Coordinates of all heavy atoms in Angstrom, one line a residue:
I1 N 1.8 5.9 1.3 CA 1.7 5.1 2.6 C 3.1 4.8 2.9 O 3.9 4.4 2.1 CB 0.9 3.8 2.3 CG1 -0.5 4.1 1.8 CG2 0.9 3.0 3.6 CD1 -1.2 2.9 1.3
R2 N 3.5 4.9 4.2 CA 4.8 4.6 4.7 C 5.2 3.2 4.3 O 4.4 2.3 4.4 CB 4.9 4.7 6.2 CG 6.3 4.7 6.7 CD 6.3 5.0 8.2 NE 5.1 5.4 8.8 CZ 4.9 5.4 10.1 NH1 5.8 5.0 11.0 NH2 3.7 5.8 10.6
A3 N 6.3 3.0 3.7 CA 6.8 1.7 3.2 C 6.6 0.6 4.3 O 7.0 0.8 5.4 CB 8.2 1.7 2.7
G4 N 6.0 -0.5 3.9 CA 5.7 -1.6 4.8 C 4.4 -1.5 5.6 O 4.0 -2.5 6.2
F5 N 3.7 -0.4 5.5 CA 2.4 -0.2 6.2 C 1.2 -0.5 5.3 O 0.1 -0.5 5.8 CB 2.3 1.2 6.9 CG 3.1 1.3 8.1 CD1 4.5 1.5 8.0 CD2 2.6 1.2 9.3 CE1 5.3 1.6 9.2 CE2 3.3 1.3 10.5 CZ 4.7 1.5 10.4
G6 N 1.4 -0.6 4.0 CA 0.3 -0.9 3.1 C -0.4 -2.2 3.5 O -1.7 -2.2 3.3
I7 N 0.3 -3.1 3.9 CA -0.4 -4.4 4.3 C -1.3 -4.2 5.5 O -2.4 -4.8 5.5 CB 0.7 -5.5 4.6 CG1 0.0 -6.9 4.6 CG2 1.4 -5.3 5.9 CD1 -0.2 -7.4 3.2
K8 N -1.0 -3.3 6.4 CA -1.9 -3.0 7.5 C -3.2 -2.3 7.0 O -4.3 -2.5 7.4 CB -1.2 -2.1 8.5 CG -0.2 -2.8 9.4 CD 0.2 -1.9 10.5 CE 1.1 -2.6 11.5 NZ 0.5 -3.5 12.4
V9 N -3.0 -1.4 6.0 CA -4.1 -0.7 5.4 C -5.0 -1.7 4.7 O -6.2 -1.7 4.9 CB -3.6 0.4 4.4 CG1 -4.8 1.0 3.7 CG2 -2.9 1.5 5.2
L10 N -4.4 -2.6 3.9 CA -5.2 -3.6 3.3 C -6.0 -4.5 4.3 O -7.1 -4.8 4.1 CB -4.3 -4.5 2.4 CG -4.0 -4.0 1.0 CD1 -3.0 -5.0 0.4 CD2 -5.2 -3.8 0.2
G11 N -5.3 -4.8 5.4 CA -6.0 -5.6 6.4 C -7.2 -4.9 7.0 O -8.2 -5.5 7.2
Y12 N -7.0 -3.6 7.3 CA -8.1 -2.8 7.8 C -9.3 -2.8 6.8 O -10.4 -2.9 7.2 CB -7.6 -1.4 8.2 CG -8.8 -0.5 8.4 CD1 -9.7 -0.6 9.5 CD2 -9.1 0.4 7.4 CE1 -10.8 0.2 9.6 CE2 -10.2 1.2 7.5 CZ -11.1 1.1 8.6 OH -12.2 1.9 8.7
L13 N -8.9 -2.5 5.6 CA -10.0 -2.4 4.5 C -10.7 -3.7 4.2 O -11.8 -3.7 3.7 CB -9.4 -1.8 3.3 CG -8.8 -0.4 3.3 CD1 -8.1 -0.1 2.0 CD2 -9.8 0.6 3.7
G14 N -10.0 -4.8 4.5 CA -10.5 -6.1 4.2 C -10.6 -6.4 2.7 O -11.4 -7.1 2.2
A15 N -9.7 -5.7 2.0 CA -9.7 -5.8 0.5 C -9.1 -7.2 0.1 O -7.9 -7.4 0.4 CB -8.9 -4.7 -0.1
T16 N -9.9 -8.0 -0.5 CA -9.5 -9.3 -0.9 C -9.3 -9.4 -2.4 O -8.7 -10.3 -2.9 CB -10.5 -10.4 -0.5 OG1 -11.7 -10.1 -1.1 CG2 -10.7 -10.3 1.0
G17 N -9.9 -8.5 -3.2 CA -9.8 -8.6 -4.6 C -10.8 -9.6 -5.2 O -10.8 -9.9 -6.4
K18 N -11.7 -10.2 -4.4 CA -12.7 -11.2 -4.8 C -13.7 -10.6 -5.8 O -14.2 -11.2 -6.7 CB -13.3 -11.9 -3.7 CG -12.4 -12.8 -2.9 CD -13.1 -13.5 -1.8 CE -12.2 -14.4 -1.0 NZ -12.8 -15.1 0.1
S19 N -14.1 -9.3 -5.5 CA -15.2 -8.8 -6.3 C -14.7 -7.7 -7.3 O -15.1 -7.5 -8.4 CB -16.3 -8.2 -5.5 OG -15.8 -7.3 -4.6
D20 N -13.7 -6.9 -6.8 CA -13.2 -5.8 -7.6 C -11.6 -5.9 -7.7 O -11.0 -6.5 -6.8 CB -13.6 -4.4 -7.1 CG -15.1 -4.2 -7.3 OD1 -15.6 -4.4 -8.4 OD2 -15.8 -3.9 -6.3
T21 N -11.0 -5.2 -8.6 CA -9.6 -5.2 -8.8 C -8.9 -4.4 -7.6 O -9.3 -3.3 -7.3 CB -9.2 -4.6 -10.1 OG1 -9.9 -5.3 -11.1 CG2 -7.7 -4.7 -10.3
V22 N -7.9 -5.0 -7.1 CA -7.1 -4.4 -6.1 C -5.6 -4.5 -6.5 O -5.1 -5.6 -6.8 CB -7.2 -5.1 -4.7 CG1 -6.3 -4.5 -3.7 CG2 -8.6 -5.0 -4.2
A23 N -4.9 -3.4 -6.6 CA -3.5 -3.4 -6.9 C -2.7 -2.9 -5.6 O -3.1 -1.9 -5.0 CB -3.2 -2.4 -8.0
F24 N -1.7 -3.6 -5.2 CA -1.0 -3.3 -4.0 C 0.5 -3.3 -4.4 O 1.1 -4.3 -4.8 CB -1.2 -4.3 -2.9 CG -0.4 -4.1 -1.7 CD1 -0.1 -2.9 -1.2 CD2 0.1 -5.2 -1.0 CE1 0.6 -2.7 0.0 CE2 0.8 -5.1 0.2 CZ 1.1 -3.8 0.7
I25 N 1.1 -2.1 -4.3 CA 2.5 -1.9 -4.7 C 3.3 -1.6 -3.4 O 2.9 -0.7 -2.7 CB 2.6 -0.7 -5.7 CG1 1.7 -1.0 -6.9 CG2 4.1 -0.5 -6.1 CD1 1.3 0.3 -7.6
M26 N 4.3 -2.4 -3.2 CA 5.1 -2.2 -2.0 C 6.5 -1.7 -2.4 O 7.1 -2.0 -3.4 CB 5.3 -3.6 -1.3 CG 4.1 -4.2 -0.7 SD 4.4 -5.8 0.0 CE 5.4 -5.3 1.4
N27 N 7.0 -0.8 -1.5 CA 8.4 -0.4 -1.5 C 8.7 0.4 -2.9 O 9.8 0.2 -3.4 CB 9.3 -1.5 -1.3 CG 10.5 -1.1 -0.6 OD1 10.6 -0.1 0.1 ND2 11.6 -1.9 -0.7
A28 N 7.7 1.1 -3.4 CA 7.9 1.9 -4.6 C 8.8 3.1 -4.3 O 8.7 3.7 -3.2 CB 6.6 2.3 -5.2
P29 N 9.6 3.6 -5.3 CA 10.4 4.8 -5.1 C 9.4 6.0 -4.9 O 8.4 6.0 -5.4 CB 11.1 5.0 -6.4 CG 11.0 3.7 -7.2 CD 9.8 3.0 -6.6
S30 N 9.9 6.9 -4.0 CA 9.1 8.1 -3.7 C 9.9 9.3 -3.7 O 11.1 9.3 -3.2 CB 8.4 7.9 -2.4 OG 7.8 9.1 -1.9
K31 N 9.4 10.5 -4.2 CA 10.1 11.7 -4.2 C 10.0 12.4 -2.8 O 11.0 13.0 -2.3 CB 9.6 12.7 -5.2 CG 9.9 12.3 -6.6 CD 9.3 13.2 -7.7 CE 9.5 12.7 -9.1 NZ 8.8 13.4 -10.1
K32 N 8.9 12.2 -2.1 CA 8.7 12.8 -0.8 C 9.4 12.0 0.3 O 10.1 12.5 1.2 CB 7.2 12.8 -0.4 CG 6.4 13.8 -1.1 CD 5.0 13.8 -0.5 CE 4.1 14.9 -1.2 NZ 2.8 15.0 -0.6
H33 N 9.3 10.7 0.2 CA 10.0 9.8 1.1 C 10.8 8.9 0.3 O 10.6 8.7 -0.9 CB 9.0 9.0 1.9 CG 7.8 9.8 2.5 ND1 8.0 10.6 3.5 CD2 6.5 9.9 2.1 CE1 6.8 11.2 3.7 NE2 5.9 10.8 2.9
S34 N 11.8 8.2 0.8 CA 12.6 7.4 -0.1 C 11.8 6.2 -0.7 O 12.0 5.8 -1.8 CB 13.8 6.8 0.7 OG 13.4 6.0 1.8
R35 N 10.9 5.6 0.1 CA 10.1 4.5 -0.4 C 8.6 4.7 0.1 O 8.4 5.4 1.1 CB 10.6 3.2 0.2 CG 12.0 2.8 -0.3 CD 12.0 2.8 -1.7 NE 12.9 1.7 -2.3 CZ 13.0 1.6 -3.6 NH1 12.4 2.3 -4.4 NH2 13.8 0.7 -4.1
K36 N 7.7 4.1 -0.6 CA 6.3 4.1 -0.2 C 5.5 2.9 -0.7 O 6.0 2.2 -1.5 CB 5.6 5.4 -0.8 CG 5.5 5.4 -2.4 CD 4.9 6.6 -2.9 CE 4.9 6.6 -4.4 NZ 4.2 7.8 -5.0
D37 N 4.3 2.7 -0.1 CA 3.4 1.7 -0.6 C 2.2 2.4 -1.3 O 1.9 3.6 -0.9 CB 2.9 0.8 0.5 CG 3.9 -0.1 1.1 OD1 5.0 -0.2 0.5 OD2 3.6 -0.7 2.1
I38 N 1.6 1.8 -2.2 CA 0.4 2.4 -2.9 C -0.6 1.3 -3.0 O -0.3 0.1 -3.3 CB 0.8 2.8 -4.4 CG1 2.0 3.8 -4.3 CG2 -0.4 3.4 -5.1 CD1 2.6 4.0 -5.7
I39 N -1.9 1.7 -2.8 CA -3.0 0.7 -3.0 C -4.0 1.4 -3.9 O -4.4 2.5 -3.8 CB -3.7 0.5 -1.6 CG1 -2.7 -0.2 -0.7 CG2 -5.0 -0.4 -1.8 CD1 -3.3 -0.3 0.7

C-alpha cells in the first residue's frame, strides 16, 4: 500500500480490531517503493 494510504484502507474496511486481530504497519521499508504500508 502506498505509504500513508493504509489508514484510508483501514477506514474503508471498518477494521476496528474489536473481534479479530488487526496489524497495521506504516511507513515500512520496501524494495519496490521506498516506503509502504501493510495491513
Side-chain angles (χ1 to χ4, degrees):
I1 303 167
R2 192 175 351 164
F5 283 81
I7 197 77
K8 286 190 176 284
V9 173
L10 277 176
Y12 162 71
L13 296 174
T16 62
K18 290 182 180 178
S19 58
D20 292 310
T21 303
V22 175
F24 177 38
I25 303 157
M26 293 180 68
N27 214 22
S30 171
K31 292 178 184 173
K32 285 185 177 182
H33 314 287
S34 61
R35 298 302 217 182
K36 67 180 178 179
D37 291 353
I38 304 166
I39 299 171

